[in-house]
Amino acid sequence: IDALGEVVSIGSAVSDFNIGDKVITAFFGNGFREYSLIDARLAAITTKPTKEQLGAIISGAMASIMLHVVAGYNDTIHKQKVLVTAGLGGSGHYFVQLAKLMGHHVVVTCANDDEAAYLQTYNCDRIIVRDKEDPAKVIPAEYPDGINLVVESFGGKFFNIGLDNLAPRGQLVSAGALAEHTHDDSHIHTIDIYNKLILKSATLHGFNLVDYANHIRQHANKIQALTDEGKIRTLLDPAEFKGIGSIMDAVTHMMSWKTRGKVVIEL
């Protein structure tokens, strides 16, 4: 979806970019090519063309948009219970940090103790290690009043866990379905709308970054400022991939459920 490169040509109606600008861009398929023809709204100029910037500008902005624009969280909303199912995901690790900066109680799930140790550096309030605990049992037992905001990107049973444990007037933001793409867990979700949503006055949001393109620059700038202040850290997956020929290996790695943070391919 996202890529970092250099502007080589601009359309006659484009005034915000110049040839030679270093830009970070986003749309489906954008990262799997050497050249992209892209709507200027889906690009942001960067003065620091680094891997870290690639993560911060797009994945960080995505997290910020989900938190502030989609869920409507701002400084007037007092401490809420927030669940992030992919706490070390490309956008998930930004969401965790943003929610903690706002003073919310953050619950995350992760794969193993190594991931849990890293999440502790974000000061998460509850870390559920999936190879030791079942989130479907832990969350209702420890949070009987429900979760106010769920950010979900695995799909499958994780989507159901988020939906089943929403608090009254709670919100679930669905931003992906990795389990359904990688573990043959794809199925049509049958949602008990009356009991799960209507009776709780709860809200289910679908999220596609392209539909929030007009917010990308504002929130990218916000993440950049927080990064410069040392309040937000970008996590890059340690695996190295170079060249277009490595794309399939990188995608396979990403779908292995063993990644941490942003997976980057150098072309």
Side-chain angles (χ1 to χ4, degrees):
I1 294 177
D2 38 347
L4 188 158
E6 181 177 316
V7 176
V8 295
S9 180
I10 56 175
S12 59
V14 175
S15 58
D16 296 340
F17 298 90
N18 295 301
I19 293 175
D21 283 342
K22 301 297 189 297
V23 293
I24 291 174
T25 59
F27 72 92
F28 285 110
N30 181 48
F32 293 171
R33 59 187 73 191
E34 290 181 291
Y35 293 91
S36 282
L37 178 63
I38 189 168
D39 187 320
R41 295 175 301 169
L42 300 176
I45 294 174
T46 178
T47 57
K48 300 176 182 178
T50 64
K51 295 178 183 179
E52 289 77 11
Q53 280 291 97
L54 175 60
I57 295 298
I58 300 300
S59 295
M62 177 176 172
S64 183
I65 292 168
M66 284 192 289
L67 180 62
H68 298 295
V69 179
V70 179
Y73 275 41
N74 54 47
D75 293 336
T76 67
I77 295 179
H78 300 297
K79 188 173 184 178
Q80 301 288 296
K81 295 183 289 292
V82 176
L83 169 65
V84 184
T85 58
L88 285 182
S91 61
H93 79 285
Y94 288 110
F95 200 100
V96 168
Q97 295 177 82
L98 289 170
K100 286 304 301 179
L101 280 175
M102 295 181 71
H104 298 301
H105 180 100
V106 176
V107 183
V108 296
T109 78
C110 65
N112 51 52
D113 287 336
D114 288 341
E115 291 190 358
Y118 196 93
L119 283 165
Q120 287 174 351
T121 68
Y122 293 151
N123 297 316
C124 296
D125 299 278
R126 179 62 163 98
I127 301 171
I128 303 171
V129 181
R130 296 190 300 271
D131 64 3
K132 292 183 175 182
E133 301 178 285
D134 182 356
K137 296 179 180 178
V138 172
I139 294 172
E142 297 186 12
Y143 300 93
D145 294 330
I147 302 292
N148 303 109
L149 174 61
V150 178
V151 178
E152 210 295 292
S153 56
F154 283 145
K157 65 180 181 181
F158 295 95
F159 176 89
N160 292 333
I161 289 169
L163 187 65
D164 291 345
N165 290 283
L166 285 177
R169 298 183 68 180
Q171 301 180 74
L172 189 157
V173 181
S174 179
L178 183 61
E180 302 185 29
H181 297 317
T182 60
H183 286 184
D184 292 326
D185 196 20
S186 181
H187 59 276
I188 297 175
H189 288 275
T190 300
I191 300 174
D192 182 352
I193 293 177
Y194 181 72
N195 287 296
K196 304 297 184 182
L197 295 175
I198 296 175
L199 276 184
K200 293 181 177 181
S201 299
T203 304
L204 170 61
H205 304 274
F207 180 80
N208 180 350
L209 181 61
V210 172
D211 292 322
Y212 291 86
N214 56 313
H215 295 282
I216 291 177
R217 293 187 195 175
Q218 173 191 349
H219 289 267
N221 290 336
K222 175 180 179 177
I223 295 297
Q224 182 57 64
L226 291 171
T227 300
D228 291 342
E229 294 170 12
K231 296 179 179 179
I232 290 286
R233 304 195 312 270
T234 291
L235 177 62
L236 296 177
D237 189 90
E240 293 186 357
F241 301 97
K242 295 186 178 182
I244 284 182
S246 72
I247 288 174
M248 292 303 294
D249 290 336
V251 172
T252 299
H253 174 62
M254 184 178 68
M255 292 188 170
S256 71
W257 289 49
K258 297 178 181 178
T259 60
R260 278 190 208 171
K262 195 73 176 173
V263 177
V264 178
I265 304 167
E266 294 185 56
L267 300 184

